[in-house]
Amino acid sequence: MPAIKKTIKRSLLVTSATLLSLSLTAAPVLAADKPSTSPSPTPSATPPANMSTVGGARLGLPGTQADLGSGAPVLPKDVTARSWIVTDAESGEILAAHNAHWRLPPASTLKMLFADTLLPKFPRAERHKVAVTDLADIGAGSSLVGIKEDETYTVHDLWLGVFLRSGNDAVHVLSAMNGGVGQTVKAMQTHADDLQALDTHVVTPDGYDQKGQVSSAYDLTLFARSGLQKKDFREYCSTVRAKFPGETKKDKKGKTSRESFEIQNTNRLLTGDSDISTYQGIAGVKNGNTTNAGATFTGVAERNGKVLLVTVMNPEKHEHNEVYREAAQLLDWGFKAADKVTPVGELVPPRSADTSTQAGSDPSGGPSSAASGAGKGSTAPVAASAGAKDSSSGAGIALAVAGGLLLVVAASAFLVNRRWPLPDLLRRRR
């Protein structure tokens, strides 16, 4: 097959200076996911000799897989994670990986799959009054956003609680709206199977440690890439902080009032922390931390038109914010090495992906602006608004989306079969 020209480079215009200024003026960063006290065993410190080969044979081998070309920088030597992967988010090419298919506890990074599965099901303005049963069976020590029974929240509120505060209470309320935890877990597993995330076994919707619940750096990257097709997902995962409804109170005269409180994203590369700076070009995605999983993180960042995804699972160093430091080192390497390495594998497309869905539909579920506003074969992107205009938009870093790029006929079948590109234009909503 003749070589196919790469599609137009596309950019996430996320300004690091804006994020840094936000981090300097922000309230203290909220605690990350609290380690659970689940009795499930700690995974072995040794990767299996044979792992899945989805995405390429080398990804099934233990150890680091990289093919450095002339002038390529060496990989950072002090990355201690049990598993990691660096990927071109748009082409799906895997630049380097380490035990990419090692099945490990995912912690709250599994919430990416939860969100990708449920986000299209409920309008963000829909309101839900929380019942006592909605909050049943939340794991001990879970991270919570502070949802109260008998209070009413919008779906938008609940997703802010999921993405910013990693609130297991928000996950359980949305699961209840979806027919219950059992039905939600089943839907998540079905979606994971469609994404060809075959290392993943879902037991809980929130990533709380449970026996048998596993995923991999490869699968978590698939979840992030799939979620980033949705404009709401991109908005929520890039929001720095927002207002969340508090508890309704009644004064002595019987008058009721309900104030809001601020929540802040627990992704330290997005917000910064006392010992780590905001990462230049960061735009999400999700972090996690439990007893069995250790620290986990998947992030997406853009520099000079190149968009990279990185996933890091369970660094051996247990220093504060170590997972973010290692993720930043791998991203730095990826941006320098992107055009100087031979890919060692690729992110496979969903089983359900085909040319009609890639070129003619909006990843959020409706008809695409590109399909309705441009003729077939057009390569001109059409900008569209990201949506939310309220104060919970996260200080202006939520992302907007243009309609999907319509691939030229000659390249369409090849690219869709082999790749699943991100929307062609993502930019800061000021």
Side-chain angles (χ1 to χ4, degrees):
M1 178 180 291
I4 303 298
K5 286 187 177 181
K6 290 187 177 180
T7 54
I8 299 171
K9 297 285 186 182
R10 297 168 299 238
S11 173
L12 289 167
L13 302 180
V14 180
T15 304
S16 61
T18 301
L19 290 175
L20 182 58
S21 65
L22 289 172
S23 69
L24 292 173
T25 58
V29 178
L30 295 173
D33 298 1
K34 297 176 182 178
S36 77
T37 56
S38 170
S40 49
T42 301
S44 169
T46 304
N50 295 296
M51 294 174 280
S52 169
T53 57
V54 171
R58 291 187 64 175
L59 302 181
L61 302 175
T64 300
Q65 306 302 317
D67 192 352
L68 306 183
S70 176
V74 297
L75 285 158
K77 298 181 186 294
D78 54 349
V79 173
T80 66
R82 291 185 175 184
S83 176
W84 56 259
I85 188 170
V86 182
T87 307
D88 185 309
E90 296 184 299
S91 71
E93 293 175 340
I94 296 171
L95 307 184
H98 180 77
N99 302 324
H101 281 293
W102 192 358
R103 304 180 77 193
L104 297 166
S108 283
T109 46
L110 192 65
K111 289 182 172 79
M112 294 187 295
L113 175 61
F114 172 77
D116 193 37
T117 304
L118 261 63
L119 262 171
K121 296 193 175 185
F122 305 107
R124 58 195 289 152
E126 181 176 336
R127 300 175 68 81
H128 177 78
K129 185 175 182 179
V130 176
V132 176
T133 53
D134 293 352
L135 301 174
D137 300 322
I138 296 176
S142 288
S143 53
L144 305 172
V145 68
I147 290 173
K148 304 295 183 183
E149 62 188 65
D150 296 325
E151 294 285 5
T152 299
Y153 302 86
T154 65
V155 167
H156 177 64
D157 294 330
L158 296 172
W159 283 120
L160 287 170
V162 171
F163 277 91
L164 274 67
R165 194 62 185 89
S166 202
N168 289 5
D169 47 356
V171 170
H172 277 252
V173 172
L174 285 162
S175 296
M177 294 173 64
N178 190 53
V181 167
Q183 184 166 317
T184 299
V185 165
K186 183 178 179 180
M188 290 170 64
Q189 188 67 64
T190 298
H191 187 44
D193 294 345
D194 177 63
L195 293 175
Q196 302 196 60
L198 305 183
D199 299 323
T200 298
H201 178 61
V202 184
V203 180
T204 68
D206 50 25
Y208 188 85
D209 286 338
Q210 288 291 350
K211 185 177 181 180
Q213 180 152 272
V214 291
S215 190
S216 67
Y218 184 90
D219 285 9
L220 293 175
T221 306
L222 287 179
F223 301 152
R225 195 179 188 218
S226 178
L228 288 166
Q229 308 299 311
K230 299 174 174 64
K231 64 181 182 180
D232 282 351
F233 188 104
R234 292 192 298 276
E235 177 189 335
Y236 291 129
C237 80
S238 66
T239 299
V240 174
R241 55 184 174 272
K243 294 293 185 180
F244 193 82
E247 192 171 2
T248 300
K249 296 181 179 180
K250 185 180 293 187
D251 63 20
K252 296 178 180 179
K253 297 181 179 180
K255 184 178 179 180
T256 60
S257 62
R258 190 181 188 189
E259 296 183 353
S260 297
F261 58 92
E262 185 174 273
I263 57 175
Q264 184 165 300
N265 203 309
T266 56
N267 175 354
R268 304 299 192 265
L269 291 190
L270 190 65
T271 65
D273 202 0
S274 59
D275 61 344
I276 192 167
S277 299
T278 301
Y279 189 81
Q280 179 186 351
I282 192 70
V285 176
K286 189 72 188 74
N287 57 299
N289 195 330
T290 64
T291 300
N292 294 340
T296 59
F297 175 69
T298 296
V300 63
E302 179 271 342
R303 286 186 188 174
N304 301 320
K306 179 69 69 175
V307 186
L308 298 183
L309 277 164
V310 63
T311 295
V312 176
M313 300 186 76
N314 200 350
E316 291 182 8
K317 286 185 183 176
H318 297 297
E319 298 176 10
H320 184 56
N321 289 330
E322 179 63 24
V323 72
Y324 302 106
R325 272 187 286 274
E326 296 193 8
Q329 289 182 66
L330 289 168
L331 283 170
D332 286 344
W333 173 85
F335 285 121
K336 294 175 182 176
D339 299 320
K340 301 173 183 178
V341 299
T342 300
V344 296
E346 65 177 4
L347 298 177
V348 294
R351 290 190 171 110
S352 58
D354 57 42
T355 54
S356 62
T357 58
Q358 292 297 317
S361 65
D362 180 354
S364 295
S368 74
S369 50
S372 61
K376 279 197 179 271
S378 169
T379 58
V382 182
S385 171
K389 297 180 180 179
D390 56 43
S391 60
S392 61
S393 60
I397 67 156
L399 305 177
V401 62
L405 183 69
L406 300 182
L407 303 176
V408 293
V409 174
S412 178
F414 171 79
L415 289 172
V416 171
N417 286 337
R418 190 161 177 266
R419 290 168 167 75
W420 192 24
L422 292 175
D424 62 290
L425 178 65
L426 300 98
R427 59 185 182 179
R428 283 183 60 244
R429 179 161 60 86
R430 299 185 184 280

